[in-house]
Amino acid sequence: MNFYSTNNPKHIVSLKEAVIQGLAPDQGLYMPGMIPVMPQSFFDRFAEMSFQEMGEEIISALFGEDLDPSQIKALVEHTLAFDAPLVKVEEGIYSLELFHGPTLAFKDFGARFCSKLMSMLMVGEERKIRVLVATSGDTGSAVANGFYKVPGVEVVILYPKGKVSELQEKQFTTLGENITALEVEGVFDDCQQLVKDAFLDEELNQKMLLTSANSINIARWIPQCLYYFYAISRFPEKNKKVAISVPSGNFGNLGAGILAQKMGLPIDVFIASTNVNKIVPDFLHGNSFSSKKSVPTISNSMDVGNPSNFSRLLALYDNDEGMLREKVRGFYFDDLDTQKAMRAIMNSTGYILDPHGAVGYLGLRNFRKQNPEYVGIFLETAHPGKFKEVVEETLGIKLELPERLEKFLHGTKKVESLANDFGDFKAYLLASN
Ligand SMILES: *Cc1c(COP(=O)(O)O)cnc(C)c1O
């Protein structure tokens, strides 16, 4: 499989180059040069296949030229090491629970695939491989846990001191081994800048192989298509029109759903659901795409003012804006709507939504009001315990944290402090090389 840059279709690279570079040198996002369509025989059998068996066939269709079958098997087994159950919430509405991984959010799928694939592509590489990540919380925990103890790869996580929640911090500062956490005297943007400067520094790049595992990397983006196949294979309501609502921020998750649809998966319509950071719903309602400063909300992992995967959505529809508007419906909701939905669903069904899933639920519910012939699925992207304070306050209940989250709370924090200074960061990287 070759990949092209969304900024220049003639810029073509291999899988290895695309994964190591992350972003194309022209700042474009990489896209698969060809999208394979799964054969009818696959869809005839997929209801009886396990998640992993299904994953192997799909990844073989995508990367069969780049990896051998035993590598694909290992990659899929490492990624799909936990379930993604489909839970009926109310008549015609199902929750696809993507939070059963180690850090309780769907980002575990992409992070685990990315870490394993990188270590496979790096076999034989002499330089030390370092993944640099700047995080405001969730990405750090998913990447740290995905790369934990992966041979040949070291991860350095930069985060703003005092600006991530205790639980988030614990998820990437207590692991040790090949994961190092640096708390930076600054804000998230300072961390991001330090990482960007490191990627541009000639001396560092001569001495070590620096790479990023942020969410635009195809190795994080592509594997997200897998759980859409799984959801449809397990969907109990046959022969009805199906809508899937995706609570979105950077729009990688929604894009991966459209990728699955292009691979032949029967999904009739996608719903882009956001909080008041509604750049994409505004676009879908006919406005031009214009980024804005993001506004803080209770579904904070979707507080994105310049959705980085938008160019991928367009590329999936051959850069035809009209087609994108026709195929994807957009809805947005404020925090009050979100909290109201969380309370209503708990009271009527006992199901506990996290604020992100609640936005997805609302998108689907509103779409069905206008289109009652559809049934649908919303993606529940995080465990409610991950947003414990908001959920407890909204619902007036005490949440039990899953054991795997509790475990982090008892770990010992190991962290090094760093001034917001590139010279210091570079010295650190060189000294620890
Ligand atoms: C990252 C994240 C999202 C947004 O996903 P995108 O792929 O960026 O659209 C939604 N919910 C949760 C819980 C997240 O962590």
Side-chain angles (χ1 to χ4, degrees), residues 124-403:
E125 176 62 57
E126 305 263 294
R127 286 171 297 175
K128 184 169 224 166
I129 298 137
R130 283 198 156 149
V131 177
L132 304 183
V133 199
T135 183
S136 54
D138 278 350
T139 298
S141 53
V143 169
N145 282 273
F147 281 86
Y148 184 51
K149 293 190 182 168
V150 169
V153 186
E154 266 187 47
V155 178
V156 181
I157 295 176
L158 287 79
Y159 70 101
K161 183 175 180 174
K163 296 195 178 60
V164 304
S165 79
E166 190 199 340
L167 195 60
Q168 286 176 323
E169 189 178 36
K170 288 266 182 174
Q171 286 183 309
F172 55 79
T173 57
T174 57
L175 292 165
E177 300 269 348
N178 60 330
I179 313 293
T180 307
L182 299 176
E183 58 179 2
V184 176
E185 300 282 350
V187 295
F188 169 70
D189 300 293
D190 299 323
C191 300
Q192 183 109 319
Q193 195 56 49
L194 289 170
V195 168
K196 281 188 182 162
D197 290 345
F199 287 133
L200 296 174
D201 188 274
E202 251 175 61
E203 188 188 357
L204 286 178
N205 282 288
Q206 267 163 18
K207 298 202 167 139
M208 56 193 87
L209 191 61
L210 295 176
T211 181
S212 96
N214 74 15
S215 65
I216 49 100
N217 197 307
I218 48 136
R220 281 190 57 192
W221 182 63
I222 288 183
Q224 299 177 143
C225 75
L226 298 176
Y227 44 73
Y228 289 89
F229 283 94
Y230 187 54
I232 295 295
S233 77
R234 299 304 190 264
F235 195 57
E237 306 208 19
K238 308 290 176 203
N239 306 318
K240 289 203 182 136
K241 285 194 181 182
V242 183
I244 297 193
S245 172
V246 186
S248 296
N250 266 321
F251 285 84
N253 208 359
L254 178 70
I258 299 170
L259 175 67
Q261 188 187 39
K262 297 248 146 177
M263 292 177 77
L265 186 67
I267 295 168
D268 296 288
V269 67
F270 279 102
I271 300 164
S273 301
T274 71
N275 57 34
V276 292
N277 295 288
K278 57 187 176 67
I279 319 299
V280 172
D282 280 351
F283 165 84
L284 294 170
H285 297 149
N287 300 295
S288 57
F289 180 86
S290 80
S291 59
K292 297 200 174 62
K293 199 172 170 316
S294 69
V295 181
T297 74
I298 58 167
S299 46
N300 63 292
S301 302
M302 312 197 303
D303 295 347
V304 178
N306 188 11
S308 50
N309 281 288
F310 185 72
S311 60
R312 252 184 196 139
L313 298 187
L314 272 178
L316 286 161
Y317 291 109
D318 300 325
N319 294 310
D320 180 342
E321 294 195 349
M323 192 60 96
L324 175 56
R325 289 193 178 102
E326 193 184 309
K327 299 285 184 191
V328 180
R329 306 298 170 79
F331 291 91
Y332 68 91
F333 305 93
D334 64 18
D335 283 353
L336 280 177
D337 288 336
T338 307
Q339 290 179 300
K340 237 164 88 183
M342 289 165 70
R343 281 191 286 265
I345 287 299
M346 184 184 72
N347 291 336
S348 63
T349 70
Y351 194 74
I352 300 188
L353 291 165
D354 101 289
H356 304 77
V359 168
Y361 164 82
L362 278 170
L364 180 56
R365 198 190 64 187
N366 281 33
F367 173 78
R368 287 184 77 231
K369 268 192 203 148
Q370 302 155 5
N371 304 275
E373 72 277 23
Y374 280 82
V375 289
I377 299 168
F378 66 92
L379 273 45
E380 178 43 294
T381 47
H383 189 286
K386 197 153 191 182
F387 301 93
K388 195 172 188 292
E389 290 82 12
V390 182
V391 174
E392 290 189 340
E393 206 187 292
T394 303
L395 300 179
I397 57 167
K398 234 33 234 119
L399 272 185
E400 291 265 332
L401 287 186
E403 210 174 292

Side-chain angles (χ1 to χ4, degrees), residues 3-12 26 319:
F3 294 85
Y4 69 90
S5 163
T6 50
N7 280 349
N8 176 8
K10 295 207 182 77
H11 176 82
I12 290 174
D26 60 14
N319 294 310

